[in-house]
Amino acid sequence: MRPTLLRLWARYRTLCKIAFFALLALGLYLGMRPTPPPTAYSWQAAGYHAGGLFTLTILSALAFPHWRWWWRALFMFSVGVAVEYVQSFHPTRTADWADIYANSGGIAFGLLCLGAYQLLSYSGKSDRSPR
């Protein structure tokens, strides 16, 4: 089953790259436009930040599997900080440390999920006997 899954993943890697860049473009647009997305509750903005960066982190692993974890973390963190930096120049938007913390939380949770997947999928590899 594992080779079939890897073949499917390799077949759809281009689609993952398109999804990654589309979500990145959407996040940059929503983060840098003069009016923020509507939120009914104050905690929804943190959910947008954490959920967006979590999804981008997972999609980056599917689209670019050869990136090292620290490069992935640094790139995603830079995206979040860049959006907050641009927001500081808009008169109707404000840069907020809480948004950067939410971004970091989404990235960290995404990296933890990726690490757990790698640990679980490769931990039994050395125990198998060759066939």
Side-chain angles (χ1 to χ4, degrees):
M1 179 165 142
R2 189 165 170 82
T4 305
L5 181 63
L6 287 177
R7 271 189 255 135
L8 282 173
W9 178 42
R11 183 184 302 165
Y12 294 111
R13 187 170 301 155
T14 303
L15 185 62
C16 291
K17 287 180 182 181
I18 292 169
F20 171 76
F21 285 114
L23 185 62
L24 179 64
L26 177 67
L28 290 174
Y29 169 73
L30 291 174
M32 294 182 185
R33 71 182 188 165
T35 57
T39 56
Y41 303 102
S42 61
W43 54 267
Q44 279 182 320
Y48 288 157
H49 286 269
L53 269 294
F54 168 78
T55 307
L56 272 176
T57 302
I58 299 297
L59 277 175
S60 72
L62 295 173
F64 306 102
H66 298 294
W67 285 3
R68 297 191 183 272
W69 71 268
W70 55 268
W71 171 247
R72 190 176 318 281
L74 183 64
F75 178 72
M76 294 298 143
F77 183 75
S78 299
V79 167
V81 169
V83 168
E84 293 302 315
Y85 180 72
V86 170
Q87 284 181 0
S88 69
F89 293 108
H90 284 294
T92 59
R93 306 280 304 253
T94 57
D96 191 8
W97 284 102
D99 292 344
I100 294 176
Y101 294 144
N103 292 342
S104 300
I107 295 166
F109 187 60
L111 290 173
L112 283 173
C113 289
L114 292 171
Y117 171 76
Q118 288 179 352
L119 185 68
L120 292 174
S121 64
Y122 296 118
S123 64
K125 226 177 190 183
S126 61
D127 296 340
R128 295 182 187 159
S129 61
R131 293 181 189 185

